[in-house]
Amino acid sequence: MAAEVEGAEAAQPAASAEKKKKLQQQQKAAEASRGKASFLATAWLILYNTVMTAGWLVLAVSMARYGLAKGSNRGLYRSIEKTLKIFQTGALLEVVHCATGIVPSSAVLTAFQVSSRVFLVWAVTDSVKPVQNEYSVLIYLSAWTLTEIVRYSFYTFSLLKYLPRAIKWARYTLFIVLYPLGVTGELLTIYHALPHVYRSKLFAYPLPNALNISFDYYYFLIIVMISYVPIFPQLYFHMMSQRKKVLGEPKAKES
Ligand SMILES: CCCCCCCCCCCCC[C@@H](O)CC(=O)SCCNC(=O)CCNC(=O)[C@H](O)C(C)(C)COP(=O)(O)OP(=O)(O)OC[C@H]1O[C@@H](n2cnc3c(N)ncnc32)[C@H](O)[C@@H]1OP(=O)(O)O
């Protein structure tokens, strides 16, 4: 009996050492798989941001060449619409990046930013043809293009750990002017679209109908315009606090 107890006591430390070893192995495997996932996420983000920088650069060059050749904004939207649609719609992936946690930005703020632009391209500028030659389209296109070249190149250089100071400064400074400029262009474009939507009854779904629900795109556009009032300041002040965090003076050491 005594010998049995002694044997069990001797086996206990061996079993706990085995358990500890197993746990360490599991931790190591988890760390390795986290490292692999983070490497893949970084590689994907470098590819994504590089392609997006290139896309917006192509847009900038196309817009400049069109302006120099024609000396007018008439027909500009038609000439760049394919590239614009590809790269602005491609920004929807940014919401996925936030939602999956591979970038630390807020998914809600990013969703507002991206969806309002995708909406403006597809549901306003592309759907209401007469607004395409308005100056407001040129205004928002210029603000978006400049912003995105700087923003995506900022992310690319940051991921490559080689960030020129000028790009960092531009990322967190140009928005002060470009954000209100872009919003002005966007709101004016929706405003110009209103009479056309009203007359053509675009996307209207009047009663009576099988679903017994009515939808009036004209009033929907007015609601979208009003929603800029509470949402835009949140985006703007978020960028202001990012600016303070990144470009702010480092705190002086207390003596
Ligand atoms: C269907 C109906 C629609 C209804 C609409 C309702 C109305 C909505 C109103 C909306 C108004 C929008 C107007 C807008 O379209 C006008 C313009 O854009 S005009 C042009 C000027 N615009 C700008 O300057 C845009 C500025 N805004 C943004 O950059 C983003 O939207 C914002 C979400 C505000 C950015 O915030 P974020 O927190 O992401 O800032 P950071 O760039 O500092 O990033 C924080 C950290 O995340 C890392 N990150 C983010 N993205 C990436 C990426 N793609 N790749 C790699 N890393 C990324 C970044 O490096 C930071 O990391 P860390 O903190 O570690 O440094």
Side-chain angles (χ1 to χ4, degrees):
M1 180 72 177
E4 255 176 42
V5 172
E6 250 173 49
E9 273 174 5
Q12 248 180 7
S16 92
E18 187 64 26
K19 236 184 181 175
K20 210 170 155 189
K21 205 171 148 195
K22 237 187 188 167
L23 204 74
Q24 275 172 346
Q25 277 171 346
Q26 279 170 348
Q27 277 170 346
K28 258 192 190 161
E31 247 168 58
S33 103
R34 267 199 302 272
K36 203 171 157 190
S38 136
F39 172 79
L40 286 176
T42 306
W44 161 250
L45 286 175
I46 291 173
L47 176 71
Y48 174 78
N49 290 310
T50 307
V51 170
M52 293 301 269
T53 309
W56 285 95
L57 269 170
V58 167
L59 263 170
V61 172
S62 310
M63 283 167 64
R65 284 181 58 177
Y66 191 93
L68 289 172
K70 308 270 173 185
S72 155
N73 67 319
R74 287 192 76 79
L76 170 71
Y77 177 79
R78 275 262 159 258
S79 79
I80 53 115
E81 67 171 312
K82 244 190 207 151
T83 320
L84 174 69
K85 283 174 187 167
I86 293 171
F87 290 97
Q88 187 51 63
T89 311
L92 284 170
L93 281 174
E94 291 189 46
V95 184
V96 179
H97 296 160
C98 302
T100 53
I102 67 168
V103 302
S105 312
S106 149
V108 176
L109 289 185
T110 306
F112 278 133
Q113 168 74 44
V114 176
S115 62
S116 64
R117 288 217 200 151
V118 171
F119 177 79
L120 204 84
V121 171
W122 287 100
V124 182
T125 318
D126 203 66
S127 304
V128 189
K129 307 274 181 273
V131 301
Q132 291 173 359
N133 291 330
E134 293 288 349
Y135 273 110
S136 55
V137 173
L138 177 64
I139 294 174
Y140 81 66
L141 281 179
S142 310
W144 291 6
T145 306
L146 194 51
T147 300
E148 300 305 44
I149 292 169
V150 171
R151 192 168 71 91
Y152 288 117
S153 54
F154 166 83
Y155 295 143
T156 310
F157 284 121
S158 300
L159 289 163
L160 295 172
K161 310 244 178 288
Y162 178 77
L163 178 62
R165 268 193 72 80
I167 292 190
K168 183 172 163 182
W169 178 87
R171 162 67 184 134
Y172 291 106
T173 305
L174 295 184
F175 80 90
I176 296 172
V177 176
L178 293 179
Y179 233 163
L181 193 71
V183 166
T184 306
E186 291 172 27
L187 288 176
L188 282 174
T189 304
I190 303 177
Y191 178 76
H192 289 310
L194 285 175
H196 302 289
V197 170
Y198 189 80
R199 271 197 300 273
S200 64
K201 299 262 170 283
L202 181 72
F203 303 144
Y205 191 56
L207 284 169
N209 59 56
L211 295 175
N212 213 16
I213 309 169
S214 75
F215 176 76
D216 195 324
Y217 190 49
Y218 175 81
Y219 292 106
F220 180 75
L221 284 181
I222 294 175
I223 293 170
V224 168
M225 288 175 86
I226 295 170
S227 65
Y228 273 64
V229 178
I231 298 172
F232 173 59
Q234 295 187 47
L235 290 166
Y236 194 77
F237 289 114
H238 171 75
M239 283 305 292
M240 277 295 189
S241 72
Q242 288 295 91
R243 178 174 207 275
K244 210 166 151 192
K245 197 175 91 185
V246 180
L247 299 184
E249 292 289 315
K251 272 188 188 160
K253 269 192 184 162
E254 280 175 29
S255 54

